[in-house]
Each structure stands twice: as structure tokens, then as C-alpha cells.
Amino acid sequence: MSSLPLALTPGEPAGIGPELVIALAQAERGDSWFAVGSATLLAERAAQLELPLAIDDRIERPTRAAGALTVLDVPLQVPAVAGEPDRANAAATLAALDRAIDAVLAGTAAGLVTGPMQKSVLNDAGIPFSGHTEHLCARAGVDDVLMLLVADDLRVALATTHLPLRAVADAITPELLRRRLKILDAGLRARFGIASPRIGVAGLNPHAGEGGHLGTEEREIIEPTLRELRAAGMDLDGPVPADALFTHTRLEALDAVFAMYHDQGLPVLKHAGFGQAVNVTLGLPFVRTSVDHGTALDIAGTGRADTGSVACALTLARRLAG
């Protein structure tokens, strides 16, 4: 297992990310990690929450002491107010993510754990940002990546991610399915140690197209691609209607589910493990995990944010880095 620390980004300065990092730092840690973001923000938010926080910058040997935190400082442009995002800080927020990516690519960190970002704030500031997953793909210089959500033994991967629903059908092509199912199969083998992954593939349409009466994507695109990949040695069950695929009996026989779009797969995953689920990006040359929730601006600064998901993300990142 790597002895290098993990890099953790708080994400949106006005959201709950900073206080999640502060809350984690209140206890002595068994693992080594450092935060990448504004040291001033973290100190100010800790004072607002009346929590102790001694900050240092020794990222080569991060502190594990209770009430202390090691920070790779990326200053904000303007002071951050909990619950009130400011697009003046959008560039600094993205810069913190990039500094953390740089640390992993340079071998300074064993893996990357990311807090939630407010995409709309970056977009309002004129920064084209559709999500961590797409940005990480570009920064790592890889052809494609795959979003995988993990809640205990349930793993759900997405063929498409942040697309309007009316654009999903056009995005489901043999090339996309081939590429992303291969990433999933390889990631389950390499990162999760599953020697022969069995993957359940959801249909796009209700009843998986009902033989072409409710849509032809299964018959014309999904089924032929799955036959091709099975011939190449992959163990694929599908296309299966999503309502049948997400049943206990079916899931027990699978190592992962491959859903066609964001809101087909994630409601089940989040129902099963919200607050404990972890987002994993497969296909990168390094480990990246993330929380399964958003910025929660409505409770930012109150101290009520639950650290469960970010704690699980750190634990899983360390396991995958091994």
C-alpha cells in the first residue's frame, strides 16, 4: 500500500466542503492526507464553527493530530460566505482542483479525493465546466473515463453522465458502449481485484425496448455491442429492463451495474447508501474518489453536514491506491 498521503479538495468555498474537512480534522487520523484549498477560508470557517484548527503546510508529512490540518494553500479572490457562492472565487476553486491533480500526477499524493463543486458558479463566471469527471479526463490526457458509484457491494457505472435527457439516446452509440464497458471491466479487475467481473447492462427504454415497440436502441445498438464484447471475453448480462436489473436477486449475481444515464442508475444507488456512497472515476492513471452529495448551500456554515461520505471516500481511495 502506498505510504504517500492523499490529496483532498474542499470544493465550493461557500458550500459544506470546507466544514467537512474541518470536521474530519477534529479527530486524530489513522491515515495521511492533506487539504488543497484556501487556508484562510478553512481557518475562518473553523472559527465560525468554534472548532480548533492549527494549520501547517508540510504536505510531504501531513499532520494526523486532532484539531490540526495540513493545507496546500490556494487563496481565494474574495472572502467566502457560507451559503452564498461568489463567482469571483470560481477560478480559485478550479485552481485548487488543478493543484491537487498536479500533486497526484507528480507523485506527491497517492490519490485524489474531491469535495462537491457548484458547477453553475463556474459556468456563470465564464468557465466551461460540466463536472469533475470530464475535467479529470482532460487533465489526465486520457481518451475517456467512467463514473462509478459505490455503496458497500453495490457498484453502478454510467454510460452517460451530465447530459439533458433528450440528448441521451443520441449519445448511446456502439463506440461509447464499447469504450466505457471496457473501462469498467478493466477497472473492476485492476482497482477492485475482481478476477472475472460480471456486469449487468440496463436497457435504455422501458422494458428494454419491448422488442422494438418501445424504442429500437436495444435491438440496433446495445444488443449487437454486447454480443461483440461477450465474444471478446466479457461477462455481460443484458440489456435488462432497469426495473428488473435493480432487484436483490439479480444484483446478488453481479459485480456492477452499467446504467445508460445519470438518473437511471443513481437514484437506486443513493437510496441504498446515501451519506455512505462514493463516486469513483475509472480510466484515470491515478485513483480519484468523491462524495456522493452536492454543496448543500442551505446548511453550509451550520456544522450540521455529515462527514460520512467524505470519510468513506478517503477510506476507499486508500484501498484502491493499494
Side-chain angles (χ1 to χ4, degrees):
M1 182 173 288
S2 174
S3 60
L4 291 172
L6 298 167
L8 171 61
T9 59
E12 167 57 48
I16 61 172
E19 61 204 76
L20 292 175
V21 174
I22 294 163
L24 289 174
Q26 294 308 298
E28 184 174 352
R29 277 87 77 194
D31 197 8
S32 177
W33 54 269
F34 61 88
V36 186
S38 169
T40 299
L41 164 64
L42 292 165
E44 291 175 346
R45 192 67 56 84
Q48 177 184 342
L49 296 169
E50 298 182 344
L51 294 173
L53 193 69
I55 293 176
D56 67 60
D57 61 0
R58 299 186 299 272
I59 64 170
E60 67 282 354
R61 288 180 59 186
T63 180
R64 301 188 187 188
L69 181 63
T70 298
V71 181
L72 175 57
D73 187 31
V74 183
L76 297 175
Q77 289 298 112
V78 299
V81 178
E84 300 179 17
D86 192 328
R87 60 186 178 187
N89 285 327
T93 304
L94 186 58
L97 174 59
D98 281 330
R99 288 286 298 278
I101 295 170
D102 291 341
V104 181
L105 290 173
T108 305
L112 172 64
V113 179
T114 58
M117 291 176 70
Q118 192 78 13
K119 292 187 284 290
S120 60
V121 176
L122 274 73
N123 296 157
D124 289 344
I127 300 172
F129 183 85
S130 59
H132 278 95
T133 304
E134 296 82 359
H135 187 74
L136 287 162
C137 181
R139 279 297 322 273
V142 294
D143 292 334
D144 201 6
V145 293
L146 181 74
M147 183 186 290
L148 174 72
L149 276 291
V150 179
D152 294 324
D153 293 331
L154 177 60
R155 306 179 187 95
V156 179
L158 302 178
T160 62
T161 52
H162 302 116
L163 288 178
L165 191 55
R166 67 172 60 249
V168 169
D170 289 339
I172 302 296
T173 64
E175 293 76 19
L176 177 89
L177 297 178
R178 192 179 299 120
R179 202 167 59 238
R180 294 194 168 169
L181 279 165
K182 287 180 178 179
I183 292 173
L184 177 56
D185 183 76
L188 292 171
R189 293 172 189 267
R191 295 293 188 196
F192 290 86
I194 301 172
S196 301
R198 181 160 177 76
I199 300 167
V201 180
L204 173 65
N205 298 295
H207 299 183
E210 194 74 68
H213 295 286
L214 293 176
T216 60
E217 287 82 6
E218 287 78 11
R219 186 177 61 191
E220 296 176 358
I221 298 171
I222 301 173
E223 291 173 6
T225 304
L226 298 190
R227 284 196 297 270
E228 173 192 328
L229 294 173
R230 288 191 195 100
M234 291 178 62
D235 189 353
L236 304 171
D237 179 17
V240 181
D243 58 350
L245 187 55
F246 285 106
T247 58
H248 290 296
T249 302
R250 203 113 192 189
L251 290 174
E252 285 175 356
L254 299 172
D255 295 301
V257 169
F258 186 75
M260 289 295 136
Y261 55 93
H262 189 280
D263 282 15
Q264 183 185 55
L266 296 198
V268 178
L269 187 288
K270 292 195 175 185
H271 175 73
F274 188 73
Q276 303 295 319
V278 179
N279 182 355
V280 181
T281 306
L282 296 179
L284 295 169
F286 54 83
V287 169
R288 181 262 176 163
T289 66
S290 183
V291 296
D292 72 335
H293 55 73
T295 55
L297 296 170
D298 57 324
I299 63 168
T302 67
R304 301 204 315 266
D306 188 341
T307 60
S309 183
V310 68
C312 289
L314 283 162
T315 299
L316 183 58
R318 178 58 69 190
R319 180 161 71 87
L320 299 181

